[in-house]
Amino acid sequence: MTEEILAHPWFGTWLAAFVGVPLALLIHRVGGLVLMRVTRPTPALHAMVVNCKAMARLVLPLVALLLVFQAAPDNLRFIGSVRHFNGLLLIGATTWLLVKAINGFADGVLAQHPHDIEDNLHARRVLTQTRVLARTAITMVLVAGGAMMLMTFPGARQVGASLLASAGVIGIVAGLAAKPVFSNLIAGLQIALAQPIRMDDVLVVEGEWGRVEEITGTFVVVRIWDDRRLILPLSYFIEKPFQNWTRKSSQLLGAVFVYVDYGMPVAPLRAEVERIVKGAPEWDGRFFNLQVTDATERTMQIRVLCTAGNSSLAFDLRCKVREGLIDFMQREYPQFLPKMRIEGDAMQPASAAPSLAQDAAPPR
C-alpha cells in the first residue's frame, strides 16, 4: 500500500503542497506581525494591514499551490484543470484582497480626519476625496479581476478576438451606450479632485435646499430639509449650475425684511434688534445691522443682517429676529404697523366746484 502511494504520479505534487501550504501560513503569521509593528506609526497603512490580514491568509496558500502546480509535470492527469481552477481562485482572492486593502486605507485616512466636529471643512474635503477615489479604484479593480478571470478561458479569448475583429459598428454602439457610465466616472474623478461638492455640504439644487448625504460612483444623494432624498447623477454637478452654501466656510449672512409705516422711528427698532441678536445663542458674534433699504408708496422696507455659524443656525436666527421685531411693534408701536389709508379729501375731484364737491362728498 505504501509502495503504491509512493509510486503514484501525484505523490510528489501533493507532498510539495502539504509542505508549501503550512509554510505559506507561517509566512503569513510572521509577516503579519512584522507589518503590524512596522505600520503602527502610520494609521492609514496600519488600518490597511489589519483589514487585509484575514484575506491574505487565503491568498498566500493559493500562491504556494500555484508554484507547486506550475512545477508539476505536464503529463499529470487533470493537471491543466487543477492549474486553471487554482488560477481562478487566486485571481478572485487577490481581487478581493485589493478591495480590502483599498477599504482599509480609506478607513485609516478617515479615522485621522473626523468630520463630526464643528469646524469640519477640511475633514469633509478629505472625506469626499477618499470615498470617491476609493470607490473608483474598487470599481477598476473588480473590472480588471473579472476580465482576467474571463481571459483564462480559451473560449472567452476567442469571443474577445472575434469581437475586436468586427468592432466597427459594435464599438460605436457600445461607446454610445456606455457614455453615461464613462461620463459619471470622469465626473467622479473631477468631483474628488476639484471638489465642487463635499460630504455634508449645504446645496440649493433644482430649487431644493438640502445637504449632501452620500456620494457614490454614479450618483449623489441630497437629503432635503423635509427628509426627502434628491438623487442626481455625478455629471449633473459638472454640467449644471447649483448653489453651494458651504464651499469655503459654513458661516452665513442671513437677511430679514420687515415692512413698517413711515411714522415708525428707526432707532427703537435698531436697539431692539441689537438686544435680540446679542441675546440669541445662534449668533456667532461677527456682524449685525439694521437699515432702511427701500421705500414704496405705502411702507418702508427694513432689512436686518445677522451672521451665524451654519445654515441651520442662520435660519433659526432669522426666524427669531423676525418674530422679535413683530412682537416689539405689536407691543410698543402698533399704530405704525403697515396699513392702507383711504382719506376722504383724496377722493374729491380736483376740478369740481366747492359747492358741488361738498354735495358729492360722502357723509362722515
Side-chain angles (χ1 to χ4, degrees):
M1 183 66 180
T2 305
E3 293 179 357
E4 293 179 358
I5 296 176
L6 294 176
H8 196 279
W10 276 92
F11 176 75
T13 303
W14 289 123
L15 180 62
F18 288 141
V19 174
V21 171
L23 182 60
L25 293 176
L26 179 62
I27 294 174
H28 170 268
R29 179 66 177 173
V30 176
L33 293 176
V34 172
L35 288 176
M36 292 281 287
R37 182 178 296 272
V38 170
T39 59
R40 188 158 308 184
T42 309
L45 294 179
H46 186 74
M48 182 178 67
V49 172
V50 171
N51 209 36
C52 295
K53 188 176 180 180
M55 201 63 203
R57 190 180 295 115
L58 176 62
V59 172
L60 290 179
L62 288 175
V63 172
L65 289 177
L66 178 66
L67 297 177
V68 170
F69 294 146
Q70 291 296 327
D74 294 334
N75 56 0
L76 283 179
R77 190 180 182 184
F78 304 121
I79 188 63
S81 300
V82 172
R83 288 172 178 171
H84 187 207
F85 183 69
N86 184 83
L88 289 176
L89 289 179
L90 181 59
I91 293 173
T94 304
T95 302
W96 195 246
L97 177 66
L98 292 176
V99 171
K100 299 284 284 184
I102 295 171
N103 283 329
F105 186 81
D107 292 341
V109 172
L110 295 180
Q112 294 179 318
H113 303 85
H115 61 280
D116 54 350
I117 57 177
E118 183 175 356
D119 188 9
N120 61 355
L121 180 62
H122 177 68
R124 290 190 291 110
R125 181 183 297 115
V126 174
L127 175 65
T128 303
Q129 285 182 333
T130 303
R131 285 192 175 177
V132 174
L133 291 177
R135 286 171 180 170
T136 303
I138 288 173
T139 302
M140 296 174 65
V141 167
L142 291 176
V143 171
M148 292 179 65
M149 294 179 72
L150 287 176
M151 292 302 291
T152 60
F153 295 92
R157 287 200 298 267
Q158 294 175 2
V159 172
S162 62
L163 287 176
L164 290 176
S166 59
V169 178
I170 297 177
I172 296 175
V173 174
L176 293 175
K179 180 181 177 181
V181 178
F182 289 112
S183 64
N184 281 327
L185 181 62
I186 296 173
L189 294 176
Q190 289 178 302
I191 288 174
L193 297 177
Q195 292 195 340
I197 60 173
R198 292 178 295 267
M199 295 294 297
D200 205 38
D201 266 351
V202 178
L203 306 181
V204 177
V205 55
E206 294 292 321
E208 300 283 359
W209 181 95
R211 291 181 179 273
V212 178
E213 183 178 55
E214 185 180 2
I215 301 177
T216 68
T218 55
F219 59 86
V220 176
V221 180
V222 179
R223 179 170 57 85
I224 304 175
W225 64 274
D226 57 359
D227 285 340
R228 290 178 294 147
R229 264 63 176 180
L230 184 63
I231 313 297
L232 297 167
L234 286 175
S235 56
Y236 179 94
F237 297 94
I238 302 299
E239 300 171 355
K240 295 185 179 181
F242 60 93
Q243 296 182 37
N244 189 337
W245 289 10
T246 54
R247 180 70 178 88
K248 295 294 185 182
S249 172
S250 60
Q251 295 176 332
L252 284 179
L253 179 67
V256 176
F257 293 93
V258 178
Y259 295 88
V260 299
D261 190 80
Y262 277 100
M264 178 67 203
V266 178
L269 285 179
R270 186 170 284 118
E272 181 65 13
V273 166
E274 182 177 2
R275 185 190 68 81
I276 295 172
V277 171
K278 289 186 176 181
E282 295 85 359
W283 186 52
D284 61 1
R286 287 190 296 137
F287 173 77
F288 77 92
N289 74 348
L290 182 145
Q291 291 176 320
V292 179
T293 54
D294 196 8
T296 67
E297 68 276 8
R298 295 172 182 170
T299 61
M300 58 181 179
Q301 183 188 73
I302 303 294
R303 186 190 69 181
V304 179
L305 297 180
C306 48
T307 58
N310 56 55
S311 57
S312 299
L313 295 177
F315 180 82
D316 293 338
L317 181 59
R318 289 166 56 202
C319 293
K320 186 171 293 187
V321 170
R322 189 181 297 112
E323 293 172 1
L325 284 179
I326 293 175
D327 180 71
F328 174 74
M329 290 191 62
Q330 289 175 342
R331 186 178 65 252
E332 303 293 339
Y333 298 94
Q335 69 274 22
F336 295 133
L337 291 171
K339 60 177 67 72
M340 181 179 292
R341 297 188 181 89
I342 299 178
E343 300 289 346
D345 296 339
M347 299 179 62
Q348 297 179 4
S351 60
S355 59
L356 294 177
Q358 185 175 1
D359 295 337
R364 295 185 180 275

